[in-house]
Amino acid sequence: MAVPTPHGVPDRPDTPPVPPELAELLRSQLAVVADKVEEEVRRQVPEYARPADGAYRRNLRSGVVQALTLFVDHIADPRDDGSAIAATYYELGRGEAVEGRSLDALQSALRVGGLHAWRLMGRTAERLGLDSTAVAALGELAFRTVHEVAQAAAAGYAEAQLRSSDELERRRRRLLDLLLEDGPVALEAVQDLAHSARWPVPRTVAAVALAAAPDRREEDRPLAAAGALVDMESRPPSMLVPDPDGSGRFGGRAFTLALRGRPAAIGPTVAVTEAAQSLRFATRALGLMGRGILPRQGVVRCSDHLSTLLLYGDEPLLERLQARVLAPLDTVSVGQRERLAETLLAWLLSGSNVPDVAVRLHIHPQTVRYRLRQLEKLFGDALHDPETRLDLILALRAEALHTRRN
């Protein structure tokens, strides 16, 4: 561990001399001064004004004593580099970052504590009748002490923040992997890992599959900051958004705007332990978007296209169904097949109501009746069999999607 060397502070050999006997006198007062400095820090810095007990109290007390000891050691031996105490403050800075307190709070505590310690110890120097040169040297050492421990703490804080950011990202990636893995996921395991990843476990989630981009886009950053778990390295790139049906960052138009035009499919809203299921649907929908069966651009929500996803859940089986139930249409021309298929689907969906079919297709009712007579010749009594009618709707719906794509 490297603790930075202070900048802008004179080297110790040039420091004016301070009577060595002052060091022993001040050392004898360390406990009393530490009590008063600790009390002053807790009074003036709100972040440190918590109940004075337990490990927190011990750490605060230790930090105060260490800084005062460094100050006295500088007086006793100007050649002492104070590396051990600087290392202590380096660790203190790291600890403050891990606890989530700001660097400003830490630096404020050091300034308040340093100033108060200087006042207390300065009075002792005055009582000894030190001349102005010695008092000035004492003030310089006080400044040096605060500067050194502040720099060491700041370095430790910065190092912890860097590591914390990287570690947090790794933990969130592990959490996302856990949530999206095949098979059952234990809620307890999710909660444990989510706690370490600082991710509040939501009631519901939805997986999002994103179209591949030539380079890594920046839209994942604000979404990740808003609470999404993001993996832009997966294929396809994916993310998991909390409470997608709410009015927050992931609801409605806000989410679409955040993606900046990148095509995406949002899986169904599910319980957090069923996230993998949501991703399967989102990935399937993204594939259908790429083929033009679902809209190619924008954000497609699986909940709006469940029947299409059901149809294309097993395409070889769908093709067999089409081949069997639509075989009578193979005997007509391509143009006639398209017209008859369109009319038959509209007729089945409208409850066999000819006027409704005419309105739906923007054609004359007589044209509808003419086509229905042709269909009766091709399909016979099968048109009136309930099970066959269901098969026809599924097969014709798939054919309509295919025709629209082309």
Side-chain angles (χ1 to χ4, degrees):
M1 178 188 67
V3 179
T5 301
H7 297 288
V9 180
D11 293 336
R12 288 186 181 83
D14 297 332
T15 302
V18 177
E21 59 271 18
L22 179 61
E24 293 308 312
L25 178 59
L26 293 177
R27 200 183 303 277
S28 67
Q29 299 177 353
L30 275 182
V32 175
V33 173
D35 286 340
K36 294 180 178 179
V37 168
E38 179 187 346
E39 180 181 350
E40 188 69 11
V41 168
R42 289 167 54 78
R43 188 180 69 83
Q44 290 200 40
V45 185
E47 289 85 348
Y48 291 85
R50 58 171 63 180
D53 57 10
Y56 177 80
R57 170 65 183 273
R58 290 193 297 272
N59 290 339
L60 177 58
R61 172 74 176 191
S62 175
V64 171
V65 171
Q66 292 273 10
L68 294 175
T69 300
L70 177 61
F71 175 55
V72 174
D73 286 348
H74 283 344
I75 298 174
D77 183 3
R79 295 169 299 177
D80 178 26
D81 63 5
S83 58
I85 294 176
T88 297
Y89 266 82
Y90 187 90
E91 291 302 317
L92 177 62
R94 291 183 72 253
E96 294 295 277
V98 170
E99 287 294 321
R101 286 187 287 271
S102 72
L103 182 59
D104 288 342
L106 175 58
Q107 300 287 30
S108 294
L110 292 174
R111 286 194 298 270
V112 168
L115 180 59
H116 197 62
W118 161 241
R119 287 171 180 164
L120 295 172
M121 292 185 165
R123 291 170 191 166
T124 299
E126 291 175 358
R127 287 197 297 269
L128 289 178
L130 297 182
D131 60 26
S132 59
T133 301
V135 172
L138 195 63
E140 183 178 324
L141 286 175
F143 168 71
R144 182 192 304 281
T145 301
V146 172
H147 186 87
E148 289 177 354
V149 297
Q151 275 212 327
Y157 190 95
E159 187 267 348
Q161 279 200 317
L162 178 61
R163 288 193 179 184
S164 176
S165 177
D166 293 343
E167 179 61 22
L168 193 63
E169 185 175 347
R170 285 192 291 270
R171 290 179 182 180
R172 291 196 170 189
R173 181 67 62 82
R174 290 200 300 271
L175 175 60
L176 183 60
D177 290 343
L178 171 66
L179 290 169
L180 297 182
E181 70 181 12
D182 292 329
V185 177
L187 180 59
E188 293 79 6
V190 172
Q191 291 172 332
D192 288 345
L193 190 50
H195 177 74
S196 68
R198 299 180 190 175
W199 190 71
V201 179
R203 186 177 61 84
T204 60
V205 295
V208 181
L210 299 163
D215 56 351
R216 181 167 177 166
R217 298 286 296 273
E218 297 298 317
E219 67 268 10
D220 63 310
R221 294 187 179 180
L223 290 169
L229 299 177
V230 180
D231 184 2
M232 288 296 171
E233 307 302 324
S234 63
R235 293 292 177 269
S238 59
M239 64 177 66
L240 195 66
V241 299
D243 298 322
D245 298 330
S247 58
R249 185 61 183 270
F250 305 111
R253 183 169 174 77
F255 182 74
T256 303
L257 292 174
L259 292 179
R260 303 176 187 175
R262 186 171 184 171
I266 303 180
T269 299
V270 297
V272 68
T273 55
E274 298 173 358
Q277 182 183 91
S278 182
L279 181 61
R280 283 195 294 272
F281 283 113
T283 301
R284 184 184 303 173
L286 186 67
L288 295 177
M289 291 173 66
R291 294 162 57 185
I293 294 172
L294 291 177
R296 292 182 182 274
Q297 300 300 320
V299 176
V300 168
R301 297 181 179 274
C302 289
S303 57
D304 297 333
H305 302 276
L306 294 178
S307 61
T308 301
L309 292 171
L310 177 63
L311 276 177
Y312 284 86
D314 189 334
E315 294 195 49
L317 187 60
L318 175 61
E319 291 170 0
R320 288 179 178 273
L321 175 67
Q322 288 179 291
R324 182 177 65 80
V325 300
L326 299 183
L329 293 178
D330 293 339
T331 61
V332 301
S333 66
V334 174
Q336 190 177 13
R337 177 191 177 101
E338 184 175 333
R339 291 190 295 272
L340 291 177
E342 179 185 52
T343 302
L344 179 55
L345 180 59
W347 181 72
L348 291 168
L349 293 177
S350 64
S352 306
N353 186 297
V354 171
D356 285 351
V357 175
V359 171
R360 183 189 292 256
L361 300 182
H362 306 289
I363 58 178
H364 196 278
Q366 193 60 32
T367 303
V368 175
R369 294 188 181 93
Y370 171 73
R371 293 180 183 177
L372 287 174
R373 286 194 294 271
Q374 291 179 292
L375 289 167
E376 288 278 2
K377 292 178 182 179
L378 293 171
F379 288 91
D381 293 338
L383 290 181
H384 304 286
D385 178 66
E387 291 189 6
T388 302
R389 287 166 71 99
L390 176 60
D391 289 346
L392 283 168
I393 290 173
L394 295 175
L396 290 167
R397 173 63 177 162
E399 182 154 308
L401 291 170
H402 179 79
T403 301
R404 184 182 66 187
R405 179 188 66 178
N406 297 332

